Amino acid sequence: MSSNAMDIDQPAMLVTERLILRQWQQRDLMPFAAMNADAEVMRHFPAPLNVEQSNALAGRLCQLIARDGWGFWAVETRSHAEFIGFVGLRETMPDMPFGSCTEVGWRLARSHWGKGYATEAAEGALRFGFEKLALEEIVSFTALSNQPSQAVMRRLGMRRNLREDFDHPAVPEGHALRRHCLYRLSYDMWREQRA
């Protein structure tokens, strides 16, 4: 992160045309657990999560937003205030092959797929990352088999370099999802696309 990044005292809330990206709330836990137990939603992850694992994940995401002012926000629709999943930014694990950086990521309930919500919310997160955090680059990555997420990455203007495909260190050796692809978007590329 560049030295001119804005100080954030309160957790940020992002508003897009149809969505609100906000801090996690107690009422999110049940629909989040249902989403994380859905085998289709979790098809590109090593395993679905049980209620305890899902609640613990929500707690960690909430704590990171409270600490940093941003992160993987809970997402709700503006029309019905319905929780639909999470989208946002987070620092990658330091042991990733491409080094430490900031990623944009998402996970949405299956009933909300195909509506453009992931792209819309991720565009808001990218804008926040580049304009408010003054990031020079944002990445995204997923299992090679996750074509829907890769399509979102391409819609966001992110670019893949096949030479940067990697084995995810948190996925066991021999697992079908271990091999991942990396997409990148620099601030300059993002600004050009918006011109």
Side-chain angles (χ1 to χ4, degrees), residues 44 96-97 141-147 150 160-182:
H44 301 289
M96 295 301 266
F141 50 88
T142 191
L144 292 183
S145 60
N146 192 346
Q147 293 301 318
Q150 290 185 56
R160 176 184 177 192
N161 181 337
L162 295 174
R163 293 189 303 267
E164 292 188 300
D165 287 359
F166 66 98
D167 292 334
H168 198 298
V171 180
E173 282 191 42
H175 196 288
L177 298 176
R178 183 168 169 84
R179 195 70 178 163
H180 274 54
C181 53
L182 175 71

Side-chain angles (χ1 to χ4, degrees), residues 57-96:
L57 174 57
R60 288 193 302 274
L61 299 179
C62 180
Q63 289 173 353
L64 288 172
I65 292 171
R67 185 191 74 186
D68 299 331
W70 54 275
F72 278 171
W73 290 281
V75 180
E76 67 178 41
T77 60
R78 292 179 64 181
S79 57
H80 297 96
E82 179 184 5
F83 173 86
I84 66 168
F86 70 74
V87 178
L89 305 168
R90 75 171 175 184
E91 296 298 316
T92 59
M93 299 184 305
D95 59 345
M96 295 301 266

Side-chain angles (χ1 to χ4, degrees), residues 140-159:
S140 194
F141 50 88
T142 191
L144 292 183
S145 60
N146 192 346
Q147 293 301 318
S149 277
Q150 290 185 56
V152 173
M153 294 170 195
R154 289 190 295 271
R155 281 194 292 276
L156 295 170
M158 306 187 93
R159 303 280 165 77

